[in-house]
């Protein structure tokens, strides 16, 4: 090949990569829950059709799949999961559907929060449903249950999600690799700006006032990243009821420390928090989006909107502590 021809070939390669041809059919992507679905859409652009199993305001912890969910998995090219025991039903469902799809674990590579052993309510919750032989009763490896799955509540981890999703989509659709990479870079730059904004907003609250009560323990990563202490009666799984004793302890703590920032989450049963509010005289600070987005016309239809909604309501409530 002459040098000119080589240059032409190299240029042609570059051009086809940069302006990746539209796929004849969009890549079929299934994401386990709404937050992952939104990040996947940002990264995929119009090269993929993203289906979400646990939709807006849905609780992935207690999700029960429908037959149509199994057929979505059977026909998918890529499955995107959070991992760390958040959606064990999806692994069972995908196996039953005999899918050939590529699996992407979005939280892979993020530094997981280890759950405390004993003395803490969520440890009780995740211990009692353990089965035999290194697996939970639901078939998920025990090790995954030792970690807090709510990794997305730190925007730095959202950046890891976007990167993992871009890599996974590129493997399933190599022609679109540069598109996914570029989309992920643009999106990650936006997340970085939002992360700085969150830090500057939280900094408005004196450190001693940064205490918040939520229904279930979904904000551990947020708390670690942004310097807020979250207390929750329902543990990380949102499934088991807290014991009367654990609830009484929490109510004592709220009274003693005069915590006023009480929140319900969009996907949790509000009754327990209403009881706590009555018992302590604290007012409800409003609703936080934790494990699911809102419908399109709600206050948190995207992952970034979730932070734009949650942060001001958290700051407002903590300032009253
Ligand atoms: Zn949760």
């Amino acid at each position: 090949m002459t040098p000119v021809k080589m240059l032409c070939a190299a240029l042609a390669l570059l051009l086809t990569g940069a302006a990746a041809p539209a796929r004849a059919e969009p890549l079929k992507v299934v994401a386990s829950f709404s937050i992952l679905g939104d990040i996947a859409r940002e990264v995929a652009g119009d090269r993929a059709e993203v289906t979400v199993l646990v939709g807006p305001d849905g609780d992935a912890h207690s999700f029960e799949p429908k037959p149509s969910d199994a057929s979505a998995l059977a026909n998918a090219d890529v499955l995107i999961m959070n991992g760390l025991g958040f959606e064990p039903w999806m692994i069972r469902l995908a196996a039953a559907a005999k899918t050939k799809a590529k699996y992407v674990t979005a939280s892979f590579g993020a530094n997981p929060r280890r759950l405390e052993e004993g003395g803490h309510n969520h440890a009780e919750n995740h211990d009692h449903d353990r089965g035999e032989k290194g697996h939970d009763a639901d078939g998920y490896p025990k090790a995954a249950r030792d970690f807090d799955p709510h990794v997305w509540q730190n925007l730095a981890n959202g950046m890891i999600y976007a990167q993992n999703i871009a890599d996974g989509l590129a493997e399933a659709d190599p022609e679109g690799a540069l598109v996914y990479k570029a989309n992920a870079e643009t999106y990650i730059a936006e997340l970085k700006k939002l992360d700085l904004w969150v830090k500057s907003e939280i900094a408005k609250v004196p450190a001693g006032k940064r205490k918040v009560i939520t229904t279930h323990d979904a904000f551990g990563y947020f708390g670690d990243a942004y310097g807020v202490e979250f207390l929750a009666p329902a543990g990380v799984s949102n499934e088991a009821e807290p014991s009367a004793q654990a609830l009484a302890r929490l109510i004592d703590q709220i009274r003693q420390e005069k915590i006023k920032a009480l929140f319900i989450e969009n996907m949790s049963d509000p009754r327990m928090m209403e009881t706590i509010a009555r018992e302590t005289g604290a007012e409800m600070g409003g609703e936080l989006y934790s494990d699911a987005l809102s419908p399109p016309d709600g206050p948190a239809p995207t992952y970034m909107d979730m932070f734009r909604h949650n942060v001001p309501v958290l700051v407002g409530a903590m300032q009253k502590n």
Side-chain angles (χ1 to χ4, degrees):
M1 216 190 262
T2 66
V4 174
K5 272 193 182 158
M6 269 169 70
L7 189 67
C8 287
L11 264 176
L13 197 67
L14 260 178
L15 286 173
T16 41
R23 289 176 58 86
E25 246 190 273
L27 197 68
K28 290 198 231 20
V29 175
V30 176
S32 57
F33 73 116
S34 53
I35 293 168
L36 279 187
D38 176 58
I39 300 174
R41 285 187 185 112
E42 289 286 345
V43 173
D46 52 14
R47 286 187 75 82
E49 200 177 82
V50 180
T51 305
V52 166
L53 297 183
V54 186
D57 292 333
D59 183 358
H61 295 288
S62 57
F63 181 66
E64 284 173 22
K66 304 178 294 295
S68 61
D69 296 327
S71 71
L73 290 192
N75 298 321
D77 299 305
V78 180
L79 302 185
I80 306 177
M81 282 179 287
N82 180 71
L84 296 175
F86 187 58
E87 60 275 86
W89 45 267
M90 187 143 168
I91 295 170
R92 286 199 300 273
L93 198 62
K98 297 193 168 56
T99 181
K100 299 217 167 43
K102 186 189 161 42
Y103 284 61
V104 176
T105 301
S107 69
F108 182 79
N111 188 18
R113 286 181 78 234
R114 190 171 273 282
L115 297 176
E116 298 158 39
E117 286 301 324
H120 205 283
N121 185 47
H122 53 49
E124 287 165 32
N125 284 349
H126 79 266
D127 275 347
H128 75 131
D129 58 11
R130 280 178 171 185
E132 296 301 309
K133 293 181 185 146
H135 284 78
D136 279 355
D138 58 17
Y140 210 85
K142 267 185 178 179
R145 291 279 175 151
D146 293 335
F147 296 101
D148 176 354
H150 304 88
V151 181
W152 60 87
Q153 286 296 348
N154 174 357
L155 281 159
N157 292 336
M159 299 171 205
I160 294 174
Y161 281 35
Q163 191 58 57
N164 285 335
I165 291 170
D167 293 347
L169 295 180
E171 269 184 52
D173 171 28
E175 275 193 338
L178 289 184
V179 175
Y180 302 135
K181 186 170 186 276
N183 289 348
E185 276 169 9
T186 307
Y187 185 55
I188 286 170
E190 295 287 315
L191 295 182
K192 279 185 181 154
K193 274 190 255 172
L194 188 62
D195 188 54
L196 290 176
W197 174 78
V198 173
K199 285 173 179 153
S200 70
E201 288 301 299
I202 299 292
K204 293 176 180 170
V205 183
K209 290 189 170 205
R210 294 188 205 156
K211 283 182 188 160
V212 176
I213 317 292
T214 60
T215 315
H216 90 296
D217 212 348
F219 292 95
Y221 291 88
F222 186 105
D224 288 352
Y226 305 113
V228 176
E229 188 184 344
F230 286 87
L231 300 163
V236 289
S237 74
N238 201 34
E239 283 169 307
E241 290 272 320
S243 65
Q245 224 181 358
L247 200 55
R249 261 202 314 270
L250 183 67
I251 287 172
D252 271 352
Q253 187 176 1
I254 294 168
R255 285 187 182 135
Q256 244 167 36
E257 300 184 22
K258 299 187 173 59
I259 303 172
K260 306 228 168 40
L262 246 67
F263 287 92
I264 52 168
E265 292 127 66
N266 63 316
M267 35 57 74
S268 290
D269 186 334
R271 283 174 296 187
M272 185 162 33
M273 292 310 281
E274 284 159 5
T275 305
I276 293 175
R278 254 198 325 273
E279 289 286 319
T280 59
E283 262 175 60
M284 297 300 293
E287 190 174 48
L288 294 176
Y289 286 81
S290 63
D291 294 25
L293 300 175
S294 72
D297 58 351
T302 71
Y303 176 56
M304 291 179 71
D305 287 336
M306 180 175 80
F307 285 86
R308 293 186 191 114
H309 168 84
N310 285 351
V311 171
V313 296
L314 282 169
V315 167
M318 290 189 296
Q319 275 163 340
K320 294 183 195 150
N321 279 349

